[in-house]
């Protein structure tokens, strides 16, 4: 069963795209069939895997507006089980047009439907805002992974995102769940990071992944080479942390699926 996961946080600079790219690459390295969808107008997930975000004849905008099929823009990365639906800056056009369209929250879900049987996981890199593109991603998803820094402003933004997820669960997508929170750019030597981490654990409990992503220069350098950290330096602390996160996600997700099966 394909799992569709939105990587979301309306606060920028928290490692959202870094998490989307490196989690996708790590899962692909574990022999899972992965589709990475870049719905962020910045297109950083696209360039982060070495693809071009400018000059495409057919773009994700065309797909979201029903003027093309997702398979028309699908990119297969060489020597990898990772495929990509690349983003482009003109996806902002889709956001504006979606506001006045019928079933405006469901366009991404409809576009991904023909691809579901081809992948184990579909990861959606969302914009750093709670706009119509993010809503489309949350409606299309089964679960949400929230990357966040351990700082107080991040806690404030987190409550807004959780509120949005709850509203979508009550209306457009009752299957949507928070799969987990990932602490990014984490420095255990910082009193602030430890304090905020404790608050997150107190509120979200087992939703917080044990694996924390450290500050790591290789993670910062890899996108400029169009590579995941795993491809750029597989022995780096950042690459190893995302491999550990992928393994933890698979374990937890397997337990969730098993529990849902028993309840059914």
């Amino acid at each position: 069963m394909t799992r569709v996961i939105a990587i979301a946080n309306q606060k920028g600079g928290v490692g959202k795209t870094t998490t989307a790219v490196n989690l996708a690459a790590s899962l692909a390295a574990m022999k899972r069939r992965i589709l990475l969808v870049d719905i962020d107008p910045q297109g950083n997930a696209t360039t982060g895997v070495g693809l071009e975000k400018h000059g495409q004849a057919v773009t994700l905008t065309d797909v979201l507006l029903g003027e093309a099929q997702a398979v028309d823009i699908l990119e297969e990365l060489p020597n990898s089980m990772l495929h990509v639906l690349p983003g482009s800056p003109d996806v902002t056009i889709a956001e504006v047009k979606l506001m006045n369209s019928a079933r405006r929250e469901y366009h991404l879900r409809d576009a991904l439907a023909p691809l579901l049987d081809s992948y184990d996981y579909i990861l959606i890199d969302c914009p750093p805002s709670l706009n119509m593109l993010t809503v489309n991603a949350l409606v299309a998803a089964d679960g949400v992974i929230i990357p966040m820094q351990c700082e107080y402003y991040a806690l404030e933004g987190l409550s807004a995102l959780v509120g949005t997820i709850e509203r979508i669960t009550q209306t457009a997508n009752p299957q949507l769940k928070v799969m987990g929170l990932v602490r990014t750019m984490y420095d255990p030597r910082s009193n602030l990071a430890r304090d905020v981490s404790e608050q997150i654990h107190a509120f979200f409990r087992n939703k917080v992944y044990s694996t924390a992503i450290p500050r790591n220069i290789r993670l910062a350098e890899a996108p400029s080479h169009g590579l995941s950290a795993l491809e750029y330096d597989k022995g780096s602390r950042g690459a190893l942390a995302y491999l550990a996160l992928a393994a933890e996600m698979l374990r937890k997700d397997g337990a969730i699926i098993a529990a849902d099966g028993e309840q059914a």
Side-chain angles (χ1 to χ4, degrees), residues 62-84:
D62 300 305
V63 173
L64 289 172
L65 297 179
E67 297 168 1
Q69 299 296 314
V71 69
D72 296 335
I73 65 168
L74 191 67
E75 296 277 359
E76 300 183 12
L77 299 187
N79 305 314
S80 173
M81 297 182 72
L82 174 58
H83 296 173
V84 182

Side-chain angles (χ1 to χ4, degrees), residues 14-15 18-19 22 149 183-189 212-225 227-243:
V14 298
T18 298
T19 295
N22 288 286
Q149 284 183 267
R183 293 162 294 160
T184 58
M185 293 172 270
Y186 185 70
D187 184 354
R189 299 169 298 178
I213 309 301
R215 289 188 179 275
N216 179 246
I217 189 64
R218 296 305 193 199
L219 281 176
E221 292 173 345
S224 66
H225 297 272
L227 299 170
S228 67
L230 192 61
E231 297 169 295
Y232 183 60
D233 185 352
K234 64 181 179 182
S236 66
R237 292 173 63 233
L240 294 174
Y242 274 110
L243 281 171

